[in-house]
């Protein structure tokens, strides 16, 4: 990366308030967790996949899959 481009990038990054970056990261992970939950619930409802298969597809702990399956049954 050229020094000029790096300087522009550094200037831009330094102008963003730290709180905004933190809020963005927090919002991103909340959105990611919500999407993961929705995908997992849809897989439980709409497929005959077992818990191990779903955990592997969504890349979450199998206990989380079992907890969601239990919630959906009640």
């Amino acid at each position: 990366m050229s020094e000029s481009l790096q300087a522009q990038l550094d200037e831009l990054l330094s102008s963003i308030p730290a709180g905004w970056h933190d809020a963005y990261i927090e919002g991103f992970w909340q959105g990611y967790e919500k999407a993961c939950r929705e995908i997992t619930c849809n897989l439980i409802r709409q497929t005959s996949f077992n818990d191990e298969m779903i955990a592997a597809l969504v890349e979450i702990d199998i206990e989380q899959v079992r907890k969601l399956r239990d919630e959906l049954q009640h």
Side-chain angles (χ1 to χ4, degrees):
M1 180 178 303
S2 73
E3 288 182 30
S4 173
L5 186 56
Q6 183 63 49
Q8 290 175 348
L9 181 58
D10 290 344
E11 182 180 343
L12 175 64
L13 291 174
S14 68
S15 70
I16 299 172
W20 288 10
H21 180 263
D22 294 343
Y24 172 80
I25 296 298
E26 183 178 335
F28 172 83
W29 285 114
Q30 287 175 353
Y32 177 82
E33 289 171 0
K34 181 180 178 191
C36 182
R37 179 183 173 90
E38 289 177 17
I39 290 168
T40 304
C41 288
N42 286 336
L43 287 169
I44 291 169
R45 285 187 198 112
Q46 299 174 11
T47 70
S48 59
F49 296 163
N50 63 34
D51 293 349
E52 290 82 8
M53 292 171 70
I54 293 172
L57 283 170
V58 188
E59 296 184 0
I60 62 173
D61 184 70
I62 193 162
E63 292 304 317
Q64 291 177 298
V65 175
R66 290 177 179 151
K67 180 180 174 186
L68 285 173
R69 187 179 295 280
D70 187 52
E71 286 177 21
L72 292 171
Q73 291 176 349
H74 293 106

